[in-house]
Amino acid sequence: MPQLSNFDEIYQFLHKRFENEKEYLQAVHEVLQDIVPIYNANEAYKSLDVIRRLCMPERIIYFTISWMNSDGDIEVNQGWRVQHNSAMGPYKGGLRFHPTVNLSVLKFLAFEQCFKNALTGLPMGGGKGGADFNPKGRSDRDIMLFCQAFMRELQRHIGANTDVPAGDINVGAREIGYLYGEYRRLNNRFEGVLTGKGLEFGGSYVRTEATGFGLIYFLEAVCRAQDSVVEGKTVIVSGAGNVALHAALKASEKGAKVVTLSNSRGLLYNEQGLSEADITWAIENHNQRDNILLDMEDEGMGKWQADETPWHIKCDIALPCATQNELDECDARKLIENGCTMILEGANMPCTDKAQNVFFDAKVTYVPGKASNAGGVALSGLEMSQNAMFSQRNAETLDEQLQTIMNHIHNLCVTEGKLGGETYINYMKGANVAAFRKLADAIVAQGV
Ligand code: NDP
Ligand code: 2IT
């Protein structure tokens, strides 16, 4: 069967069934382009129909969350857990609370998570979940009530060896604490059923920082491969949440000049570069503020620009760390015109497929989130192993392990992503192929 028609056949099969799920189809399309040739070259992969089995979730759980808020009103939300693939270990991946959450978004995230988790080298399958609940502007009590109601539904489907959720957008340490408390009350068990827990109840050092720090460790590896360094580079970061702020802090510690942060409402710009103290202040305060970037302007840390994104600002390195499809082809062209040579994703799928093509055509370094933001889930994997042993490793050891894992993922991408005879590394291809081989081998070894 010729490769191209095979790609078309597989994609059409999925498109026909899920034509309204555009984010899911986008993520699958990106991966299929790279893995179909590998699939076609391997009889075992083909005979066991590995690609279709890998593209479709093993199980999707849907539930309604009916809950009473602190005013005594009844609210109704939709919740999901997509258990995508467990060939490599328990389903593993975050929970997102955001009004834009729907099945397509969670299916794309769960699919990507399988590839990301495979790259870490730890025994984790892939999943993702969440709800269309908007926590913005809610009281702490409402957040707790919602988390408890959400866990009342989810608890029967998860377990330390079955499915281990963690945080994602709008689900941080506070929410994980409330979710965990409800799980423990209902099950009368203390086990590593969630990661990102507080340090006092089974959490791991370095988990909070891991995604952002890991992104910069990956950036260091990219720079080393190009005989370059992070120090002295101008960096733009989008987002002002967990990933963005920790990436900004580590980049700044490494001597880069971080000139932006952003959120869904606008941009904070500081031409001189944010100081480590500024970013640390933001990390300490962002959970208690409605818009930390406005507060940073008030503190003299930069200029707020409403409704702006960072992509028109001149930089050497761009780190999109907010959300999917936040950087389109016009933004990509602007970045390149302004001299940006490296784009590393902290968020999941922040660059549209057309933006990616702009990067590939310009032969600038582009690293997909499944490789560069894998530090978060890697630390989650280490939290699971600490929980299984009822132990707690120290921060220094874990930070070293994180660096080792990010370097390992970089090496995998280089090995599989080098184009014949050229020095340019296609990190997307490298990540997709390296992860696919591991997943496909695990599926084949376990039969139908
Ligand atoms: P947070 O909730 O901590 O922060 C999210 C940030 O992104 C906020 O500044 C938010 O702004 C902004 N944002 C959210 N939606 C939009 C939007 N539609 N347009 C513009 N800005 C937006 O989440 P995280 O930092 O944890 O997650 C950020 C990204 O990183 C996500 O793609 C997530 O999937 C990914 N990721 C997270 C990991 C983790 O361990 N937490 C691990 C790997 C990837 P506002 O406050 O205005 O909504
Ligand atoms: O996208 C991601 O990798 C995460 N939100 C973290 C998942 C996890 O299980 O730690």
Side-chain angles (χ1 to χ4, degrees):
M1 202 180 293
Q3 279 173 15
L4 191 63
S5 74
N6 209 337
F7 171 91
D8 285 346
E9 269 174 27
I10 298 165
Y11 186 71
Q12 284 316 319
F13 172 87
L14 295 167
H15 193 272
K16 225 163 94 186
R17 282 158 184 78
F18 310 113
E19 63 180 334
N20 297 322
E21 298 180 358
K22 73 177 171 49
E23 292 85 0
Y24 166 67
L25 289 173
Q26 180 186 344
V28 168
H29 194 272
E30 276 173 17
V31 170
L32 282 183
Q33 299 182 86
D34 293 324
I35 65 173
V36 166
I38 311 294
Y39 172 77
N40 277 318
N42 187 307
E43 282 310 318
Y45 293 174
K46 279 197 288 189
S47 65
L48 283 163
D49 210 343
V50 163
I51 287 195
R52 277 197 302 175
R53 291 169 64 193
L54 193 51
C55 285
M56 292 168 67
E58 290 173 355
R59 191 176 299 111
I60 298 173
I61 295 147
Y62 170 77
F63 45 92
T64 301
I65 306 133
S66 314
W67 58 290
M68 188 182 283
N69 68 24
S70 45
D71 293 330
D73 299 325
I74 303 295
E75 298 198 36
V76 180
N77 288 98
Q78 293 179 285
W80 296 264
R81 184 72 181 166
V82 178
Q83 297 183 331
H84 193 94
N85 193 283
S86 57
M88 298 193 71
Y91 303 107
K92 182 81 197 87
L95 296 171
R96 178 179 292 192
F97 293 165
H98 198 273
T100 58
V101 164
N102 58 39
L103 186 56
S104 172
V105 168
L106 295 178
K107 276 177 70 179
F108 116 65
L109 288 163
F111 174 74
E112 288 282 289
Q113 194 81 49
C114 295
F115 285 74
K116 183 192 310 193
N117 295 3
L119 291 172
T120 65
L122 299 170
M124 296 182 289
K128 202 86 184 188
D132 61 0
F133 170 64
N134 185 1
K136 283 271 161 350
R138 293 301 192 120
S139 65
D140 187 62
R141 185 157 166 72
D142 272 353
I143 300 285
M144 182 172 75
L145 290 168
F146 179 78
C147 287
Q148 291 172 337
F150 182 86
M151 185 51 87
R152 276 196 294 278
E153 290 303 322
L154 185 66
Q155 54 92 19
R156 75 203 78 216
H157 305 291
I158 61 176
N161 297 317
T162 314
D163 183 353
V164 184
D168 193 77
I169 291 179
N170 290 333
V171 179
R174 173 181 62 166
E175 289 74 19
I176 293 291
Y178 293 150
L179 290 162
Y180 188 74
E182 190 66 3
Y183 180 88
R184 186 178 50 77
R185 276 185 288 277
L186 293 170
N187 290 278
N188 193 26
R189 284 172 74 87
F190 186 98
E191 59 176 9
V193 68
L194 294 171
T195 59
K197 300 183 292 301
L199 290 174
E200 309 77 12
F201 51 97
S204 173
Y205 286 102
V206 191
R207 174 62 189 90
T208 309
E209 299 84 359
T211 315
F213 282 16
L215 178 65
I216 304 307
Y217 296 147
F218 200 102
L219 173 63
E220 286 192 299
V222 169
C223 287
R224 264 196 305 278
Q226 300 183 15
D227 291 325
S228 179
V229 286
V230 177
E231 191 179 353
K233 298 288 189 304
T234 299
V235 177
I236 59 175
V237 176
S238 70
N242 173 280
V243 179
L245 292 173
H246 289 99
L249 178 63
K250 186 55 80 179
S252 172
E253 282 173 19
K254 298 284 176 187
K257 188 165 89 167
V258 178
V259 294
T260 68
L261 293 169
S262 71
N263 58 25
S264 58
R265 291 151 286 176
L267 168 71
L268 184 87
Y269 179 46
N270 181 334
E271 201 181 349
Q272 313 309 317
L274 295 161
S275 69
E276 283 171 47
D278 295 346
I279 303 164
T280 303
W281 184 86
I283 289 171
E284 283 165 3
N285 292 289
H286 77 287
N287 284 333
Q288 296 90 53
R289 311 289 174 112
D290 170 53
N291 185 346
I292 190 70
L293 301 181
L294 272 179
D295 296 327
M296 289 177 82
E297 182 182 58
D298 290 345
E299 298 286 328
M301 298 174 183
K303 185 98 196 75
W304 168 253
Q305 300 172 8
D307 302 323
E308 281 287 357
T309 60
W311 317 124
H312 63 287
I313 307 273
K314 196 171 162 44
C315 67
D316 303 302
I317 299 164
L319 305 176
C321 296
T323 193
Q324 66 271 6
N325 293 329
E326 58 168 312
L327 194 165
D328 67 17
E329 60 189 310
C330 298
D331 301 323
R333 278 198 218 98
K334 194 84 207 155
L335 283 171
I336 287 166
E337 269 166 41
N338 282 337
C340 176
T341 59
M342 292 180 187
I343 301 93
L344 280 80
E345 296 181 343
N348 287 307
M349 208 169 73
C351 300
T352 65
D353 42 5
K354 287 186 176 151
Q356 290 170 17
N357 288 336
V358 173
F359 298 144
F360 291 133
D361 289 346
K363 290 267 163 71
V364 295
T365 298
Y366 162 66
V367 186
K370 70 193 88 179
S372 47
N373 76 28
V377 77
L379 242 298
S380 279
L382 299 179
E383 182 172 331
M384 286 164 70
S385 63
Q386 292 171 81
N387 290 166
M389 292 187 287
F390 286 89
S391 69
Q392 197 167 48
R393 268 168 256 166
N394 64 46
E396 203 184 22
T397 307
L398 290 160
D399 189 56
E400 272 169 26
Q401 286 183 289
L402 174 62
Q403 295 186 48
T404 305
I405 291 172
M406 298 316 291
N407 280 319
H408 168 70
I409 299 174
H410 182 266
N411 291 343
L412 288 174
C413 291
V414 171
T415 307
E416 300 283 7
K418 256 201 182 125
L419 297 177
E422 288 188 41
T423 49
Y424 181 72
I425 296 161
N426 182 333
Y427 283 92
M428 174 67 104
K429 181 176 173 215
N432 284 339
V433 172
F436 175 65
R437 286 194 205 281
K438 287 170 187 261
L439 283 157
D441 289 345
I443 290 171
V444 168
Q446 293 172 46
V448 226

